[in-house]
Amino acid sequence: MLSNHLQNGFETAKLVWSQIPNSDDSELDGVGLLSTSGGSSSVNSLDYEVIENYAYREEQAQRGRLYVGYYVGVKWFFALLIGIGTAIAAVFINLSVENFAGWKFSLTFSIIQKSYIVGFLVYILINLGLVFSSVYIVTKFAPAAAGSGIPEIKGYLNGVDIHGILLFRTLIGKIFGSIGSVGGGLALGKEGPLVHTGACIASLLGQGGSTKYHLSSRWLQVFKSDRDRRDLVTCGCAAGVAAAFRAPVGGVLFALEEVTSWWRSQLMWRVFFTSAIVAVVVRSAMGWCKSGKCGHFGSGGFIIWDISDGQEDYSFEELLPMAVIGVIGGFLGALFNQLTLYMTSWRRNYLHKKGNRVKIIEACVISVITSVISFGLPLLRKCTPCPESDPDSGIECPRPPGMYGNYVNFYCSKENEYNDLATIFFNTQDDAIRNLFSAKTIHEYSAQSLLTFLVMFYTLAVVTFGTAVPAGQFVPGIMIGSTYGRLVGMFVVKFYKKLNIEEGTYALLGAASFLGGSMRMTVTLCVIMVEISNNLKFLPLIMLVLLISKAVGDAFNEGFYEEQARLKGIPLLESRPKYKMRQMTAKDACVSQKVVFLPRVVKVADIVSILRTNKHNGFPVIDHTRNGERLVVGLMLRSHLLVLLQSKVDFQHSPLPCDPTGGSKQIRHNFSEFVKPVSSKGLSIDDIYLSSDDLEMYIDLAPFLNPSPYVVPEDMSLTKVYNLFRQLGLRHIFVVPRASRVIGVITRKDLLIEEGEDSTTVELQSTSVRGRRRDKNVLHGTTEAERPLLSGLLVQDHITG
């Protein structure tokens, strides 16, 4: 009976939840992101697979061991540069925000001693100026810098080519836009944009700088493939988290758990090295700032909350309220995801379609509303007399104006009073969280003040996210969670009447629960919360609330970044295939496609016609054997065809192959010529001029195609194809009929070739069929004429395969 009631309750909750609008039918405004028109998407994929054509093989053959060592050394050097660059950017953003905010609060405090109205107006104008600078930079200069950037980077590392997200102007817009939006007091954080900032720095280093702004270096243009750039961007993401939270291990786990889709042990080492460099540089910068060289307010920021002097242990009775915190975090986090999705969808479909002027006005209006609430709500609360001071705590009540700490005297009639709501509102977000996490400050906040702040800040965070400014949700999530966590802690202290229970401990667990319920990360958030709180004793409790909040949140919707990625039209390949794929085969997935073939020797006019009439990015190449059978010889990419058309050096008059084997033709191209620049859309067929004589020429595609594309049989389960596609980071898979012959089987033993041994003299214990005597139970090798022709082509490109 109880299980039936619970099941009915969950079904009812899901039914009610489904009535809230979602983003499935939304259209995008296309600012710096993806655009839709007529139901088709212009999304392309990245070429993470190495195209092993003859140009690539010839280039690899000319490289010796010395070059391999140099190549690996450059990767580590770039990891060092990414760590230093991201740390410097984080220090610059943090010091700017802290000094702007500190100067703003200090000036306002000094003015309200004489005139409250004048101080109120000055406070609003300063915030308005900072927010206006942020939204103006984003709308006029770098539209791709809006939002957190994590869904876009997650899409890039998943294999989706989103133009504009890694440009130099996006980096500049992200840095200065974050300073304005966070310094202006909006309910946003700078941690999410720092991940995007690190990714931009890594991408720019990988391509040697920015050619558009003449900030490039040919010496740095070493990495030509999307695979190498992907590894650098992964390092940049980890560096951004490490710089934002001073959590190097958390940065590594964030890259592993949340953003990247492919992981290797070599990449783990470089990501770890990059995060360690960030931690060293940030700590050095903080030590330098302690001497007062970073401005009067420059020593704050870099959120790290030392609660090691708080609650030392916990009892069994406290596990129940801690589990309740996890349930609350799951519900509020899922609700936050859905409401944010609804607001962002409404903005894109209606508000932001009216132009940049509306975006600027919207951000400015939200800035004024936020300033009025943060300045006006504390006036509704009566000031509270300061508690008896504890000389061992080091906490002063009230705190001196313009300084960091608890117990803010905000428009109080007496000197020994403080306003608990102003302690949260009238502070930078980092300092407000420190106050909520602080130990030895029992009864500092009233339940009314915490509840008021929770409702107002939750609403402001939902409304603010989606505006045209750089916006992160880590710190607002921590503020929301720590507020209701401290609220629960107050009731626990009152109920159990134990003096060794600290409200700040429950604030920490509340912050972890809301982030887990919203972002659905577990290991990463657990490590980050331990690193920034500097207290390992609460690790089991953090794990408990994260698991509960994630389980509750998953019952309603997906994680925050997955929901935002779907809203923006980013076709992510999730870690698990859909359930209905189990009943489908590879052939079922490509029945609606029309595969466009190219002959090995193709007329230039035919290439131009094919490129103009469809948007496919991969073309199977076929050839005819002496027996007249058609043979699939490889895959030709659209970008490679465009390079051949533009150069014209491979045009020939004869429609016959230059060499029957296809391998001895002299290569007139460098492999780097076929790589699409990361900061541009690459060549287009409209950019190439061909005369009438050129159109009558021919091209032999054999030296330039990928002769070894991945192939699956047509009756393979689509679930198996999905896992193969995602785990290998592919862009195309050929679907062919079931093969009739086997020429060999490779096992683990065939791949254990020792370094330095001659492969012609080493006899492996293989299961290869070739070379063995005939046996009626063994299938023998096939001729080229007997190999099957592919029946379909699976591609990752959303529409433009």
Side-chain angles (χ1 to χ4, degrees):
M1 291 293 293
L2 180 60
S3 61
N4 292 336
H5 284 299
L6 287 175
Q7 184 176 3
N8 293 336
F10 273 114
E11 293 297 330
T12 304
K14 286 188 176 182
L15 180 62
V16 174
W17 193 267
S18 64
Q19 303 302 316
I20 301 179
N22 55 38
S23 64
D24 291 342
D25 301 324
S26 63
E27 294 181 358
L28 305 176
D29 58 359
V31 178
L33 299 173
L34 312 180
S35 60
T36 58
S37 58
S40 64
S41 174
S42 60
V43 179
N44 290 326
S45 299
L46 293 164
D47 293 308
Y48 286 158
E49 180 187 358
V50 177
I51 308 300
E52 296 182 344
N53 55 23
Y54 291 111
Y56 173 81
R57 293 178 179 179
E58 186 176 88
E59 185 177 280
Q60 292 296 313
Q62 296 174 357
R63 296 174 176 176
R65 292 179 178 270
L66 184 61
Y67 183 84
V68 174
Y70 165 76
Y71 194 69
V72 173
V74 170
K75 286 185 176 180
W76 284 93
F77 179 66
F78 271 49
L80 172 68
L81 294 182
I82 292 169
I84 295 174
T86 307
I88 292 175
V91 170
F92 175 73
I93 293 174
N94 184 77
L95 295 183
S96 301
V97 169
E98 289 295 314
N99 278 286
F100 275 123
W103 174 76
K104 173 184 64 179
F105 288 126
S106 179
L107 179 63
T108 305
F109 266 117
S110 62
I111 293 178
I112 62 175
Q113 304 301 325
K114 303 176 182 177
S115 173
Y116 175 81
I117 301 298
V118 176
F120 177 57
L121 294 176
V122 169
Y123 181 77
I124 291 178
L125 290 176
I126 294 176
N127 283 338
L128 185 62
L130 290 172
V131 172
F132 176 79
S133 67
S134 174
V135 68
Y136 187 84
I137 290 173
V138 170
T139 54
K140 300 295 184 181
F141 181 68
S148 69
I150 294 179
E152 291 85 353
I153 299 302
K154 187 173 182 177
Y156 178 86
L157 295 177
N158 195 257
V160 183
D161 188 5
I162 308 173
H163 177 65
I165 64 169
L166 298 175
L167 299 180
F168 177 74
R169 65 171 179 268
T170 303
L171 172 64
I172 299 300
K174 213 71 178 181
I175 292 175
F176 290 96
S178 299
I179 294 172
S181 61
V182 179
L186 294 180
L188 303 169
K190 57 181 180 292
E191 284 66 30
L194 268 174
V195 176
H196 195 175
T197 299
C200 289
I201 292 174
S203 177
L204 290 169
L205 284 173
Q207 64 174 329
S210 174
T211 55
K212 181 178 180 180
Y213 297 97
H214 305 289
L215 297 173
S216 61
S217 171
R218 296 188 63 182
W219 182 81
L220 294 175
Q221 295 174 2
V222 179
F223 301 112
K224 303 295 185 179
S225 67
D226 288 334
R227 179 187 292 261
D228 291 331
R229 291 168 180 167
R230 175 192 67 192
D231 293 347
L232 293 177
V233 171
T234 303
C235 292
C237 292
V241 174
F245 294 102
R246 287 175 58 195
V249 180
V252 176
L253 292 176
F254 177 81
L256 171 62
E257 181 180 4
E258 184 61 24
V259 292
T260 189
S261 299
W262 302 285
W263 197 257
R264 307 188 313 279
S265 58
Q266 300 94 330
L267 180 60
M268 168 78 82
W269 278 104
R270 288 199 296 274
V271 170
F272 187 80
F273 174 70
T274 305
S275 299
I277 295 298
V278 171
V280 171
V281 175
V282 169
R283 181 169 290 277
S284 301
M286 291 185 62
W288 184 66
C289 289
K290 287 181 179 179
S291 60
K293 298 179 181 179
C294 300
H296 180 63
F297 308 99
S299 59
F302 280 113
I303 50 177
I304 183 166
W305 310 295
D306 191 351
I307 59 172
S308 57
D309 58 345
Q311 184 174 340
E312 295 184 356
D313 201 0
Y314 51 90
S315 59
F316 180 78
E317 293 86 352
E318 294 180 69
L319 294 181
L320 178 60
M322 290 175 180
V324 171
I325 290 178
V327 175
I328 295 173
F331 277 115
L332 291 182
L335 179 63
F336 181 84
N337 291 358
Q338 199 70 19
L339 293 178
T340 305
L341 189 67
Y342 173 72
M343 286 295 300
T344 310
S345 176
W346 175 78
R347 277 192 176 96
R348 289 177 172 272
N349 292 334
Y350 302 103
L351 192 62
H352 286 180
K353 286 187 175 181
K354 298 179 181 179
N356 290 337
R357 181 178 298 180
V358 175
K359 296 179 183 178
I360 295 175
I361 294 175
E362 177 201 20
C364 292
V365 170
I366 292 177
S367 172
V368 172
I369 294 174
T370 304
S371 300
V372 170
I373 291 175
S374 61
F375 202 95
L377 272 184
L379 295 178
L380 303 179
R381 294 290 306 162
K382 294 182 180 180
C383 290
T384 307
C386 288
E388 295 183 3
S389 61
D390 184 4
D392 296 333
S393 65
I395 298 176
E396 186 177 357
C397 179
R399 76 173 194 193
M403 301 298 292
Y404 299 105
N406 302 67
Y407 302 111
V408 175
N409 186 328
F410 183 76
Y411 214 63
C412 296
S413 57
K414 298 180 181 179
E415 292 184 357
N416 61 339
E417 291 182 339
Y418 73 98
N419 191 314
D420 59 345
L421 196 54
T423 301
I424 313 176
F425 262 123
F426 217 72
N427 251 323
T428 61
Q429 293 178 355
D430 293 359
D431 294 321
I433 297 172
R434 283 194 189 92
N435 294 343
L436 289 169
F437 278 19
S438 61
K440 301 179 181 179
T441 56
I442 296 179
H443 308 307
E444 176 184 359
Y445 302 98
S446 64
Q448 295 88 345
S449 295
L450 290 177
L451 194 58
T452 301
F453 177 80
L454 175 63
V455 173
M456 296 308 303
F457 194 82
Y458 192 98
T459 306
L460 287 174
V462 169
V463 173
T464 306
F465 188 85
T467 53
V469 295
Q473 281 303 310
F474 271 105
V475 168
I478 293 175
M479 290 193 69
I480 293 171
S482 59
T483 303
Y484 68 74
R486 183 140 189 149
L487 196 59
V488 173
M490 292 173 60
F491 288 106
V492 174
V493 171
K494 187 176 181 179
F495 182 78
Y496 288 115
K497 294 183 172 57
K498 292 183 179 180
L499 298 178
N500 61 340
I501 295 179
E502 286 285 353
E503 298 171 1
T505 301
Y506 288 80
L508 171 68
L509 298 179
S513 70
F514 186 84
L515 292 177
S518 175
M519 300 179 182
R520 312 292 160 77
M521 292 183 287
T522 52
V523 180
T524 300
L525 288 175
C526 186
V527 172
I528 288 178
M529 297 305 293
V530 169
E531 285 189 283
I532 62 181
S533 62
N534 197 22
N535 196 330
L536 194 60
K537 298 176 183 178
F538 301 129
L539 178 61
L541 302 180
I542 296 174
M543 295 171 65
L544 173 67
V545 297
L546 280 173
L547 289 173
I548 295 176
S549 62
K550 184 184 187 306
V552 173
D554 285 339
F556 295 98
N557 53 25
E558 291 186 287
F560 181 79
Y561 297 126
E562 287 76 14
E563 295 278 7
Q564 293 295 321
R566 181 179 293 107
L567 174 66
K568 295 177 179 180
I570 303 174
L572 293 179
L573 290 179
E574 300 296 341
S575 57
R576 292 187 301 175
K578 300 297 182 182
Y579 179 79
K580 61 182 179 181
M581 289 185 179
R582 299 183 180 184
Q583 288 80 37
M584 300 176 64
T585 63
K587 186 177 181 180
D588 297 332
C590 56
V591 291
S592 60
Q593 301 179 16
K594 182 181 179 181
V595 182
V596 180
F597 296 95
L598 289 175
R600 173 183 166 178
V601 182
V602 59
K603 195 175 183 179
V604 174
D606 295 337
I607 296 179
V608 174
S609 176
I610 289 174
L611 295 181
R612 290 189 183 276
T613 53
N614 66 81
K615 296 183 179 180
H616 295 319
N617 286 293
F619 301 95
V621 180
I622 63 173
D623 197 8
H624 291 82
T625 64
R626 295 177 181 178
N627 298 330
E629 298 288 338
R630 290 198 302 176
L631 173 70
V632 179
V633 294
L635 171 69
M636 191 71 191
L637 293 181
R638 182 188 192 93
S639 58
H640 292 195
L641 287 173
L642 292 172
V643 171
L644 297 179
L645 292 179
Q646 187 186 47
S647 66
K648 303 180 183 180
V649 297
D650 298 285
F651 290 3
Q652 63 185 40
H653 294 282
S654 172
L656 300 176
C658 293
D659 186 345
T661 62
S664 62
K665 180 179 178 180
Q666 183 180 2
I667 304 299
R668 302 185 181 95
H669 296 274
N670 234 336
F671 183 71
S672 59
E673 297 178 27
F674 297 101
V675 178
K676 180 180 74 69
V678 71
S679 59
S680 70
K681 295 182 178 179
L683 279 175
S684 171
I685 188 62
D686 298 326
D687 302 329
I688 300 173
Y689 171 76
L690 295 170
S691 64
S692 57
D693 293 336
D694 294 332
L695 296 176
E696 298 299 321
M697 304 285 279
Y698 294 86
I699 301 179
D700 185 1
L701 300 179
F704 311 105
L705 53 81
N706 182 8
S708 54
Y710 286 88
V711 178
V712 297
E714 60 183 353
D715 57 349
M716 178 183 282
S717 166
L718 192 57
T719 300
K720 195 172 182 180
V721 175
Y722 183 96
N723 292 328
L724 175 70
F725 199 100
R726 188 182 187 277
Q727 291 172 9
L728 294 178
L730 303 181
R731 187 175 188 179
H732 307 89
I733 288 185
F734 283 177
V735 180
V736 301
R738 173 66 65 178
S740 59
R741 300 286 183 181
V742 178
I743 65 170
V745 179
I746 292 179
T747 65
R748 180 186 296 267
K749 292 177 291 186
D750 300 303
L751 302 177
L752 296 177
I753 301 176
E754 295 296 333
E755 192 72 26
E757 293 183 346
D758 188 358
S759 60
T760 60
T761 60
V762 177
E763 182 178 357
L764 298 176
Q765 301 297 321
S766 69
T767 56
S768 176
V769 181
R770 178 179 297 172
R772 297 187 177 188
R773 66 181 180 85
R774 291 180 174 270
D775 188 272
K776 64 180 180 179
N777 296 323
V778 179
L779 296 176
H780 290 274
T782 65
T783 63
E784 290 186 349
E786 294 173 321
R787 295 180 186 175
L789 184 69
L790 81 168
S791 63
L793 180 65
L794 285 181
V795 297
Q796 183 180 352
D797 301 323
H798 199 189
I799 296 297
T800 57

